[in-house]
Amino acid sequence: MAPPDPVPGRTPRTALLVAAFDSQLKWCAGIRDELEARGVSTRVVVPDTRSALSDRQVRDAGFDRAGRADRVDRLPWDDVIRACLSSDVVVSALAGPSTRRLSLDVADGLATLADPVAGPVLVSGWVGIIIEKITAGYLDRSGTDVVAVNSTADLAHFRRTGSTLGVPTDNLVLTGLPFLSSEPSPPRTGAVTTVLYADQPTVPATAPERAYVYRRLVEHARRHPEREVLLKPRHRPGEDTFHRMAHAPEGLLPRGDLPANFRIDHTPVPELLTRVDLLVTMSSTACLEAVDRGVRVALVLDLGVHERHGNHVFLDSGLLRTFDQVDADDLGTPSASFVHSWFGDRHRPAPVVIVDRVEELLASGRRPSRGVWSSTYFTGAARHVADLATDEATTPLRRVSRAWARRVEVHGRVRGTAAHGAALLLPPAVVIPARRLAAARRR
């Protein structure tokens, strides 16, 4: 990749927001709005890594304000890095490994410049509740200037991790999720008339577990014919998200007539929450959106508490409930510690906190990422992991070339190339017996 031209400070400032999936776009939306409100020109790009964004998902995330679905540009990775280096602010909503790669590539790009420049302010964060890889996810994002942290519990864990590994933590900023307020509404009271189940692509993971949950939702609708029971799949048929759905509800719902008060609804969760009285889910971040709006929440307990369900992070929430309890309206209320962790110690919306910090760094010229980049962990382990990940990304091509080279070395160029072509084109049922026969003849 050719080094970019140095970009001096200029007005208006520019910001690049990088996302690959609808949840990541949603996380970017509030930050983008706050940046634009302060006169920053923004651009949203999707790298040519694994991504999935339909036009409808782009619109639902708020990135089609002019009636067009082309407000999100798709770029090769090297072009994304060039765009980063020519921007004042870069907001990476990408998953941890991709954010680590981005920060390393930006660092390398800056090092090639003849004249030192401060470079963009790099921002990263988590698009929802962290239910796995909490330590790895933090370290992947640690090479950015602003690491937006969603909860006080996460912040404490990241500080301990950084301190242990000698990674500076002055880039950690408690912001909360950008689509949550800083002060949730009081819990609603009154009769439950509308129930929403927020489905997740891979939680629960197995077809029998998912079928059980769907069956209990249908039974709840039958027990309460006065209620509207909505099943909101994570995405529409044919769409994709960061976590791929293996078992769609349409194929697992009980056969036969479904109750008239039960239906599948693809309306975005924020819109549905305006009229929902109870949200049920396993571990979706939608539960926080519901708490924020004062909607009652029940987190399904029937399948046990397990890391693969993600509900282990809600043990202190006061919201874990079995379907029997939900049927009987035995509902919990969010615990004080749970509410404080997700909404406490901050009095401004997350996008305001993030952009305030960005402006502070732009004005001072300081980049906390530089201290992280020079740390022992980042110069050693982070780069080593990134190099291995890059090798893995190109493994299929490398395997092909190396396998061909081995066959040529053993059999000669003509026979080796023919053997390699046969291995690629013929089915295993033909190749494996042929190999065994050749080996027998050699013996």
Side-chain angles (χ1 to χ4, degrees), residues 20-361:
F21 297 92
D22 60 336
S23 58
Q24 297 171 354
L25 275 184
K26 180 180 177 182
W27 186 81
C28 285
I31 302 171
R32 174 209 59 189
D33 292 346
E34 185 64 26
L35 286 165
E36 291 185 349
R38 304 191 193 194
V40 179
S41 176
T42 66
R43 180 188 183 193
V44 184
V45 298
V46 177
D48 61 354
T49 54
R50 186 174 86 83
S51 63
L53 282 169
S54 69
D55 290 349
R56 185 184 291 271
Q57 286 173 317
V58 171
R59 290 193 296 271
D60 287 348
F63 285 85
D64 186 26
R65 295 164 299 172
R68 309 187 313 273
D70 59 354
R71 296 188 61 86
V72 176
D73 300 324
R74 290 165 172 80
L75 296 177
W77 181 261
D78 284 355
D79 289 348
V80 171
I81 299 304
R82 290 189 182 94
C84 289
L85 291 163
S86 63
S87 301
D88 298 299
V89 183
V90 175
V91 179
S92 173
L94 301 175
S98 295
T99 295
R100 180 189 62 234
R101 179 184 173 192
L102 183 144
S103 62
L104 287 166
D105 286 354
V106 168
D108 290 343
L110 291 172
T112 66
L113 299 179
D115 298 322
V117 296
V121 172
L122 303 177
V123 179
S124 65
W126 289 259
V127 302
I129 296 169
I130 306 172
I131 62 176
E132 61 176 356
K133 301 177 183 175
I134 182 171
T135 301
Y138 157 62
L139 292 172
D140 283 341
R141 294 166 174 84
S142 64
T144 60
D145 301 296
V146 180
V147 181
V149 182
N150 295 335
S151 73
T152 58
D154 290 345
L155 180 63
H157 179 79
F158 300 155
R159 283 176 172 166
R160 286 195 302 271
T161 302
S163 176
T164 300
L165 295 175
V167 175
T169 59
D170 56 338
N171 56 357
L172 296 174
V173 181
L174 180 64
T175 64
L177 284 162
F179 46 83
L180 299 180
S181 72
S182 55
E183 190 170 335
S185 301
R188 299 179 195 171
T189 59
V192 174
T193 60
T194 305
V195 178
L196 170 64
Y197 180 77
D199 205 2
Q200 297 166 259
T202 58
V203 178
T206 69
E209 289 173 329
R210 296 180 76 86
Y212 169 81
V213 171
Y214 298 149
R215 176 172 62 80
R216 291 303 303 259
L217 289 170
V218 171
E219 289 178 1
H220 184 81
R222 295 191 193 280
R223 290 173 183 268
H224 295 277
E226 78 285 359
R227 297 178 180 178
E228 184 182 24
V229 179
L230 308 176
L231 168 55
K232 167 63 174 73
R234 178 60 182 82
H235 56 79
R236 297 172 180 83
E239 292 180 336
D240 199 359
T241 63
F242 182 73
H243 297 287
R244 292 189 171 114
M245 178 177 284
H247 307 288
E250 290 85 353
L252 295 176
L253 283 166
R255 297 185 180 276
D257 293 333
L258 295 173
N261 60 327
F262 174 89
R263 64 184 173 88
I264 294 176
D265 194 323
H266 291 283
T267 305
V269 167
E271 295 180 32
L272 292 173
L273 287 177
T274 60
R275 61 187 184 86
V276 165
D277 304 295
L278 170 63
L279 181 131
V280 182
T281 188
M282 289 289 295
S283 56
S284 170
T285 301
C287 73
L288 293 177
E289 297 180 78
V291 170
D292 192 21
R293 299 183 183 217
V295 176
R296 283 161 284 191
V297 172
L299 301 170
V300 176
L301 187 56
D302 292 52
L303 303 180
V305 176
H306 198 288
E307 284 80 0
R308 66 189 179 92
H309 299 323
N311 54 5
H312 62 293
V313 302
F314 297 108
L315 279 172
D316 68 340
S317 69
L319 301 175
L320 292 170
R321 287 295 185 274
T322 65
F323 268 110
D324 287 346
Q325 289 176 297
V326 172
D327 288 342
D329 286 339
D330 176 11
L331 305 175
T333 57
S335 68
S337 61
F338 177 76
V339 172
H340 181 268
S341 182
W342 290 101
F343 298 93
D345 289 350
R346 57 188 183 89
H347 306 286
R348 295 170 295 162
V352 174
V353 176
I354 292 170
V355 178
D356 280 352
R357 181 64 168 159
V358 165
E359 288 191 333
E360 176 187 332
L361 294 175

Side-chain angles (χ1 to χ4, degrees), residues 408-430:
V408 167
E409 181 180 354
V410 173
H411 304 293
R413 180 170 293 276
V414 175
R415 291 181 59 194
T417 300
H420 186 63
L424 291 176
L425 297 176
L426 297 177
V430 175

